[in-house]
């Protein structure tokens, strides 16, 4: 028996190698085909910027004014006004800043703030800006400007060093410790007019939590740059709370935040996600909620800007639809928001997608808000978005062709990498 195993092992090993090569080759072919088809679709149907969006709306929550934005141009106008009005500090952090007219407007105002004596600290993710002119992400030497370019090479998965894991996917602006902006919007002309996203502005005592998020990030990756002082805790509010994913500390609470509130739901869970690839735990929470009679709705783009991510997420649709979850596909524009509202009382807005990269990989931050008034605003936004979406009906989904099913089976195993 031992001799048989010794003789058979080389053949088994070779068979496994060829199986792995075959699977990888199939994934490459499937991915290339999908990307080619999507590229042709984009050329045939370029984005028009015609989609519903609501004007900014403001509610008061525990002494804080919270404004919700659903259109990039509205958001950028207020962000730039906040930078122009800065007197002491500007903390700016973004995954992507496009080297275009919008990106340049932000760069000009950040430099102008520094020149009038404001201390400006900037964190830019290198990976997110890799396809932009590299000179654009560099700022002039100035005593009031300090910039961290978040490292491109992240070898933590190989070395085991937590600090070397994940990319900076956050989008933050904090001015004078008094006003903070957080949400899904990166900076650029594309996002100003052609994408549907969601961002919030907080004015009031709870700004300290988002300021603390920036300071934490800065002080972990500052190297030889000056450390930033931790903000004073002005108010500890159970109604408005910032929650961070911090790979350097092995801390990923946003996934738990999502699951806990889905599990607590009794009437409705309405989710809008740019990229939706639920893991087993999130999938179980969603299907269990639907089976107990909760109105679970998930709004995702019909075609996202990362078409492979769409296909990697598709294998989960059948289980969701069978359980009674309703899936809606947003048309004619990329919906990039990362929001959830539950039972008319709890909501979250932030940077965290329901996928492995966001929930178990990257630096992220979400704000959870316990407020009926704010939840009503989020429900109104969701209802508005549904006017530009169609429901993916179970009977239609089950009629998809054999090639589509094959592609889903081939690409589904890539979920841990998205």
């Amino acid at each position: 028996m031992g001799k048989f195993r010794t003789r058979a092992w080389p053949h088994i090993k070779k068979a496994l190698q060829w199986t792995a090569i075959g699977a990888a080759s199939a994934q490459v072919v499937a991915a290339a085909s999908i990307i080619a088809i999507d590229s042709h679709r984009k050329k045939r149907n370029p984005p028009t910027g015609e989609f519903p969006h609501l004007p900014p709306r403001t509610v008061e929550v525990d002494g804080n004014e919270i404004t919700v934005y659903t259109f990039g141009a509205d958001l950028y106008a207020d962000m730039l006004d906040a930078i122009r009005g800065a007197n002491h500090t500007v903390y700016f952090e973004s995954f992507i800043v496009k080297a275009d007219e919008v990106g340049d407007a932000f760069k000009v105002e950040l430099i102008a703030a520094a020149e009038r004596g404001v201390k400006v600290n900037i964190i830019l993710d290198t990976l997110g800006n890799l396809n932009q002119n590299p000179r654009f992400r560099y700022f002039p030497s100035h005593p009031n400007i300090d910039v961290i370019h978040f490292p491109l090479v992240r070898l933590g998965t190989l070395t085991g060093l937590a600090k070397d894991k994940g990319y900076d996917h956050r989008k933050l602006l904090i001015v004078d410790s008094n006003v903070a902006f957080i949400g899904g919007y990166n900076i650029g002309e594309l996002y100003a007019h052609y994408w549907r996203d969601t961002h919030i502005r907080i004015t009031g005592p709870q700004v300290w939590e988002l300021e603390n998020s920036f300071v934490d990030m800065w002080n972990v990756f500052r190297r030889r740059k000056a450390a930033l002082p931790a903000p004073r805790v002005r108010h500890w509010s159970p109604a408005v709370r910032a929650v961070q994913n911090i790979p350097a500390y092995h801390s990923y609470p946003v996934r738990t935040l999502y699951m806990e509130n889905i599990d607590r739901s009794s009437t409705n869970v309405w989710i809008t996600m740019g990229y939706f690839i639920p893991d087993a735990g999130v999938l179980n929470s969603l299907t269990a909620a639907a089976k107990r009679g909760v109105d679970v709705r998930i709004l995702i783009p019909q075609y996202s800007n990362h078409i492979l991510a769409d296909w990697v997420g598709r294998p989960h649709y059948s289980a969701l639809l069978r359980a009674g979850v309703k899936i809606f596909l947003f048309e004619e524009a990329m919906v990039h928001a990362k929001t959830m509202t539950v039972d008319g009382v709890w909501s979250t807005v932030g940077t965290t997608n329901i996928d492995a990269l966001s929930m178990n990989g990257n630096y992220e931050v979400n704000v959870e808000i316990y407020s009926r008034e704010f939840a009503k605003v989020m429900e109104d936004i969701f209802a508005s978005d549904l006017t530009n979406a169609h429901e993916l009906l179970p009977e239609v989904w089950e009629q998809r062709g054999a090639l589509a099913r094959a592609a889903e089976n081939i690409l589904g195993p890539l979920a841990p990498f998205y």
Side-chain angles (χ1 to χ4, degrees), residues 97-110 136 187:
V97 179
K98 295 284 191 182
D100 59 18
E101 185 175 341
V102 171
D104 190 61
F106 274 83
K107 189 172 181 178
V108 166
E109 294 302 335
L110 290 168
F136 183 78
I187 305 298

Side-chain angles (χ1 to χ4, degrees), residues 6-24:
T6 301
R7 293 172 181 169
W9 173 242
H11 300 287
I12 295 172
K13 184 178 179 181
K14 184 172 288 187
L16 291 173
Q17 289 174 338
W18 280 109
T19 300
I21 292 171

Side-chain angles (χ1 to χ4, degrees), residues 105-313:
F106 274 83
K107 189 172 181 178
V108 166
E109 294 302 335
L110 290 168
I111 294 170
E115 289 176 342
R116 66 174 182 267
V118 176
K119 180 60 179 173
V120 177
N121 291 76
I122 300 166
I123 305 175
L124 297 176
D125 188 89
T126 303
L127 176 68
N129 294 285
L130 201 59
N131 63 348
Q132 301 299 301
N133 184 335
R135 290 177 292 182
F136 183 78
R137 60 179 179 264
Y138 288 93
F139 284 71
S141 178
H142 193 285
N144 288 330
I145 298 178
D146 231 346
V147 182
I148 289 176
H149 293 100
F150 195 83
L152 173 63
V153 179
R154 313 292 290 147
L155 299 177
T157 54
L158 299 176
T159 65
L161 295 176
K163 188 178 176 182
D164 294 335
K165 293 181 180 179
Y167 291 92
D168 183 9
H169 191 242
R170 306 171 354 148
K171 298 93 178 169
L172 285 170
L173 172 65
I174 304 99
V175 176
D176 289 345
S177 303
N178 291 323
V179 59
F181 295 81
I182 167 69
Y185 275 103
N186 291 293
I187 305 298
E189 179 68 24
L190 175 67
Y191 318 120
H193 299 288
Y194 297 99
W195 281 26
R196 233 304 278 133
D197 212 329
T198 302
H199 227 76
I200 58 174
R201 178 185 65 194
I202 302 176
T203 304
Q206 284 307 109
V207 168
W208 78 266
E209 289 212 32
L210 289 172
E211 183 177 12
N212 187 63
S213 298
F214 183 93
V215 169
D216 280 350
M217 189 74 163
W218 182 273
N219 288 343
V220 168
F221 290 96
R222 66 185 177 88
R223 294 187 178 179
R224 292 180 295 276
K225 299 179 185 297
L228 293 176
R232 181 174 60 87
V233 178
R234 288 179 281 171
H235 183 54
W236 192 344
S237 172
V240 183
R241 186 169 71 107
V243 181
Q244 301 181 71
N245 278 358
I246 310 175
Y249 300 152
H250 299 287
S251 179
Y252 300 96
V254 180
R255 176 178 178 273
T256 302
L257 181 77
Y258 285 163
M259 291 178 61
E260 281 181 346
N261 287 282
I262 296 168
D263 291 343
R264 296 169 68 185
S265 63
S266 61
T267 57
N268 70 289
V269 175
W270 293 355
I271 299 170
T272 303
M273 281 289 147
Y275 313 107
F276 179 72
I277 310 173
D279 60 26
V282 175
L283 188 67
N284 180 70
S285 292
L286 290 168
T287 55
K291 288 176 181 178
R292 65 175 180 266
V294 177
D295 177 19
V296 181
R297 303 184 182 191
I298 301 168
L299 176 65
I300 56 179
Q302 182 176 11
Y303 305 106
S304 82
N305 63 315
H306 295 301
I307 192 66
L308 289 183
D310 301 349
W311 280 80
V312 171

Side-chain angles (χ1 to χ4, degrees), residues 382-401:
F382 195 88
S384 174
D385 287 335
L386 288 189
T387 66
N388 193 58
H390 68 272
E391 184 176 356
L392 180 62
L393 299 173
E395 56 270 26
V396 174
W397 175 245
E398 293 306 325
Q399 291 174 4
R400 68 195 187 284

